[in-house]
Amino acid sequence: MSVWVPAALIAACATLGAQLQSSTPFHLQEASIADIQQAIMAKKITSTRLVELYLMRIKTYNNTCVSQPMGILGPITTIPHARQVNALSTLNLRPPTRTTWGFDKRKARSMTDTDDNNPNMPDALEVAVAQDKKFKQTGRLVGPLHGVVMAIKDQYDTFDMRTTAGADAQYANDRPPEDATFVKRLRDAGAIILAKANLAEYATDGARSSFGGTFCNPYDTEREPGMSSAGSAASVAANLVTCAIGEETVVSIRWPSSVNSLVGLAPTEELVSRKGMIGAGLSMRTGPICRNVQDAAKILDVIAGYDPKDELTAFSIGRKPAQSYLASPAAQRLDGIRIGVIREYMSKKLFSKADEESIEIVEHAIGDVRKLGATIVDPGPEGALFQVCIARYAPELSNSAFARQYPDLFPVDASGRPQSDQLGTLLDMFVSPSRVPQSLSLRNLRTPAVEGEDKFMINRYLEERGDANIRSNADLISKARFYEDPNFPDRKQGRQAAERAMALDTSARLQTRFAYQNLLLQCMQEQRLDALVSPMSTVPPRKLTAPREPNANGRLPIGWSFIGQQGFPAITVPAGFTTEIWDRVRDGDGGTRLVGPLKANLPVGVDFIARPFDEAMLFRIASAFEAATRHRTPPPDFGPVAGEP
């Protein structure tokens, strides 16, 4: 039955709504891109004032978060409730402005250009002023990211700020000659680049860099904030910026997002250019970290697409959707979508007490997805979604790698030559999959390392950068200072190990990537799956100076990485918080043990995974889940600061 409503009443309601909106003050904390742009259009705030508000929070919360009695390069101890994160290592402010704001010299845009007065390098406040002037003249936003204040992981080139991947290396010019391709796209769309985010040096493991120091989790400053992109994530979680850019080789976008109650997208690698990335490799992906799904979609809209300077992006031609990714985050229901549960990653019997509550939180998230109308394809507790499919296809597709994994079935002599008919054995397994070892599982499929990739890609980057002093990986070893702390990986040893490589061999990696991508696509298609759901990680973040939880049955303590490394996009969305956890501590005899349960309110994320280039499906699922659950909660120790509306 329809109900007639007078036009005058409709008009009056619209007018009242507009008046209420215009009278509502702008709040910086948790502000989305839409919130910011609506406030700018309503003239409640300017881009300049927005940058100033973020700087106020950075001034208050972005300081040293650990005790370092021997300086930034020495051993550290943790500080409970430090109310600091040290997530941003470099600020986009000219020297006089930086001094006026009271920021340390180490936050300078450049250590090699102390004057920093080039008019062609406006700082963040100058960019904001110009943006405000343009808006005043036209009444229109300058682009889709007008007023969006961002941090960029220091692994990526910014022509106006120092770029060293966290290294304290003596570049002749610590600024690269040009922006990374996606950074330029962000600027052209109106984004204001306010800072470079601290990272695990050279984008490896550990929440520390020699130049930026140790950074902390805003939900518990004694704990790590995730993998190498954790500076990006912690800055977003603490509301120091609107969104940030991270990089993922293993889980470096998704794990920091998970443990910081954020949305993190690790897109299809070939979708976003790697040009201007220090040490770009065959598993490295560039993606947004935001506080909500819609903002992540807006960022991807800008940075995705072909770049002639990155040959891998040629695969994206014709595969980026014609419509905006923003069309998907309007979804409220998931009717007609089939989502498979990766039970391989959720068995409590296979892991430890440290995993249990996170698995339960993800279990609840799967129930929420089911309520939204999705068809959940679930093999049940202790089941395996892809076991039959993997047994059928993995031996043939991965062939020599599979043979090396099972030397008892495929013996070789001292020189590596087969001692039996490997082809016959593989054929027997294809005809009778029951002959495949029972131990073969999604959990123990492996992504091989690439011989020589680290050294080659670093040297290629430095060759293109053309610095007069740092020309090679060898220079990084001899002309840099490194921190020394047994609780964190030795970065100098890592550089030295890379330097010993004498050849580049990507063949095994490319072959296995193709084989496993084929395998996973077939497994999804057999069950007509549109997407997958799984835990991002089931182990809460460790204390910064504590040992890591050991690997268990293919489970790494940092999260599940295999499917993403084969080219499948994945998005992490907040799924809830722990109530109690188990920590790993050292024994007096040199071993480790679990202690607990300990009360701890730490974020947990859930992963949704789709086929390559199907980010639109991920945004549809993630936005519906986000709208129905609203698990994102800001860290309680990082509330409004004095003077912040």
Side-chain angles (χ1 to χ4, degrees):
M1 181 179 69
S2 62
V3 178
W4 178 76
V5 181
L9 179 57
I10 295 174
C13 289
T15 301
L16 178 60
Q19 289 173 346
L20 288 172
Q21 184 178 9
S22 64
S23 63
T24 303
F26 172 75
H27 294 284
L28 182 70
Q29 268 206 302
E30 300 297 284
S32 67
I33 294 175
D35 294 333
I36 289 168
Q37 293 181 343
Q38 287 170 8
I40 289 173
M41 292 296 292
K43 299 182 180 179
K44 296 179 189 176
I45 196 167
T46 63
S47 294
T48 302
R49 181 57 179 158
L50 187 69
V51 172
E52 290 172 345
L53 290 174
Y54 279 123
L55 286 172
M56 289 164 56
R57 292 187 61 80
I58 292 169
K59 175 70 176 172
T60 303
Y61 291 131
N62 190 59
N63 303 295
T64 304
C65 57
V66 295
S67 175
Q68 39 192 39
M70 299 177 66
I72 195 170
L73 298 177
I76 63 102
T77 56
T78 59
I79 302 173
H81 297 284
R83 303 193 75 212
Q84 304 294 334
V85 288
N86 193 35
L88 303 175
S89 54
T90 300
L91 297 178
N92 194 2
L93 300 174
R94 291 195 191 275
T97 306
R98 191 192 73 246
T99 301
T100 299
W101 275 88
F103 289 112
D104 187 88
K105 289 181 179 179
R106 203 167 179 84
K107 293 291 189 284
R109 297 206 297 177
S110 172
M111 296 292 165
T112 57
D113 177 14
T114 54
D115 292 334
D116 191 11
N117 56 13
N118 186 337
N120 295 320
M121 289 186 182
D123 70 7
L125 280 168
E126 292 166 344
V127 170
V129 168
Q131 198 168 95
D132 290 335
K133 182 178 179 181
K134 190 75 172 177
F135 176 73
K136 187 175 181 181
Q137 290 171 344
T138 66
R140 297 192 299 271
L141 302 179
V142 300
L145 298 184
H146 183 122
V148 178
V149 178
M150 297 192 67
I152 308 295
K153 184 177 181 179
D154 188 40
Q155 190 180 1
Y156 297 109
D157 284 353
T158 46
F159 85 103
D160 49 0
M161 284 183 284
R162 68 185 310 278
T163 302
T164 70
D168 192 0
Q170 302 305 307
Y171 284 82
N173 181 0
D174 56 14
R175 287 175 167 137
E178 61 183 9
D179 280 336
T181 296
F182 79 83
V183 173
K184 185 177 187 306
R185 290 177 179 176
L186 289 171
R187 294 192 206 261
D188 290 345
I192 300 169
I193 311 302
L194 180 57
K196 298 300 285 291
N198 204 354
L199 76 163
E201 194 167 331
Y202 296 113
T204 51
D205 189 14
R208 186 167 185 171
S209 69
S210 297
F211 182 82
T214 306
F215 41 109
C216 303
N217 190 315
Y219 292 88
D220 181 344
T221 55
E222 289 194 278
R223 296 183 183 274
E224 62 186 353
M227 284 285 281
S228 69
S229 299
S232 297
S235 69
V236 177
N239 284 273
L240 307 184
V241 290
T242 314
C243 285
I245 295 292
E247 171 276 328
E248 176 163 311
T249 305
V250 182
V251 292
S252 265
I253 290 174
R254 293 174 296 125
W255 195 41
S257 298
S258 175
V259 301
N260 282 278
S261 194
L262 298 170
V263 174
L265 173 72
T268 310
E269 180 182 12
E270 297 90 341
L271 188 61
V272 181
S273 174
R274 302 167 303 157
K275 176 64 174 71
M277 177 197 294
I278 297 178
L282 285 173
S283 294
M284 292 185 171
R285 300 181 279 171
T286 302
I289 298 174
C290 300
R291 288 182 291 272
N292 64 74
V293 175
Q294 186 178 66
D295 286 0
K298 288 181 178 180
I299 300 297
L300 186 65
D301 256 342
V302 169
I303 64 176
Y306 173 66
D307 174 17
K309 296 180 179 179
D310 180 1
E311 65 278 7
L312 275 184
T313 60
F315 286 98
S316 72
I317 297 173
R319 302 178 78 177
K320 183 182 175 184
Q323 65 180 146
S324 165
Y325 290 112
L326 285 171
S328 299
Q332 297 295 312
R333 294 284 300 173
L334 299 176
D335 301 277
I337 295 177
R338 290 173 60 86
I339 302 175
V341 180
I342 304 180
R343 284 287 172 186
E344 290 90 329
Y345 297 168
M346 297 181 66
S347 173
K348 293 181 183 179
K349 293 180 180 179
L350 294 175
F351 309 135
S352 76
K353 292 292 292 184
D355 300 79
E356 290 185 0
E357 189 175 10
S358 294
I359 291 174
E360 291 167 3
I361 289 170
V362 173
E363 190 80 65
H364 188 79
I366 293 167
D368 289 330
V369 175
R370 182 182 284 108
K371 292 174 186 175
L372 292 168
T375 299
I376 301 299
V377 180
D378 187 351
E382 311 308 324
L385 183 67
F386 289 154
Q387 191 66 35
V388 173
C389 176
I390 287 174
R392 174 83 162 129
Y393 297 105
E396 176 189 354
L397 287 172
S398 57
N399 47 76
S400 61
F402 177 79
R404 288 192 296 272
Q405 187 173 350
Y406 293 98
D408 292 344
L409 297 174
F410 301 90
V412 296
D413 61 22
S415 64
R417 288 192 300 270
Q419 291 185 314
S420 64
D421 181 8
Q422 294 191 355
L423 279 74
T425 304
L426 289 170
L427 184 60
D428 288 344
M429 290 179 177
F430 181 80
V431 173
S432 301
S434 60
R435 299 187 180 188
V436 175
Q438 295 274 316
S439 60
L440 181 65
S441 163
L442 184 65
R443 288 186 302 273
N444 59 25
L445 298 178
R446 292 288 178 265
T447 301
V450 179
E451 180 185 355
E453 181 182 63
D454 189 347
K455 179 181 177 181
F456 179 83
M457 297 307 291
I458 284 280
N459 285 347
R460 190 182 87 164
Y461 167 84
L462 292 171
E463 181 73 23
E464 292 178 331
R465 180 162 172 166
D467 190 76
N469 192 44
I470 302 294
R471 300 172 181 270
S472 66
N473 183 65
D475 287 337
L476 290 173
I477 296 169
S478 62
K479 299 178 181 180
R481 299 195 309 158
F482 295 88
Y483 65 74
E484 296 182 13
D485 186 337
N487 289 306
F488 294 86
D490 189 316
R491 301 303 184 203
K492 189 170 187 177
Q493 283 186 3
R495 291 294 95 220
Q496 290 169 333
E499 187 62 22
R500 289 191 285 271
M502 300 296 287
L504 176 66
D505 185 1
T506 62
S507 58
R509 175 70 186 105
L510 289 171
Q511 189 272 331
T512 54
R513 189 176 194 265
F514 175 80
Y516 287 145
Q517 191 172 108
N518 190 174
L519 171 68
L520 293 165
L521 287 171
Q522 175 68 8
C523 293
M524 290 181 70
Q525 190 60 29
E526 283 186 348
Q527 301 188 58
R528 295 182 292 112
L529 301 176
D530 299 295
L532 307 171
V533 61
S534 82
M536 192 283 113
S537 172
T538 52
V539 178
R542 64 168 177 169
K543 290 198 172 183
L544 285 163
T545 55
R548 277 257 165 87
E549 182 68 10
N551 298 350
N553 288 298
R555 188 271 286 133
L556 303 177
I558 56 177
W560 296 99
S561 63
F562 174 77
I563 299 177
Q565 288 183 309
Q566 313 319 313
F568 289 70
I571 192 167
T572 295
V573 187
F577 287 77
T578 63
T579 57
E580 58 184 34
I581 63 170
W582 292 72
D583 272 341
R584 181 70 52 176
V585 299
R586 293 181 177 86
D587 275 335
D589 60 2
T592 67
R593 59 186 172 87
L594 276 175
V595 297
L598 309 169
K599 291 188 181 300
N601 199 37
L602 299 173
V604 175
V606 60
D607 265 6
F608 299 105
I609 304 165
R611 292 179 176 85
F613 297 100
D614 201 3
E615 282 76 7
M617 176 61 70
L618 291 185
F619 286 131
R620 181 179 175 186
I621 297 169
S623 62
F625 176 77
E626 177 187 65
T629 58
R630 298 292 177 189
H631 287 301
R632 160 70 189 169
T633 302
D637 281 354
F638 293 80
V641 301
E644 179 185 332

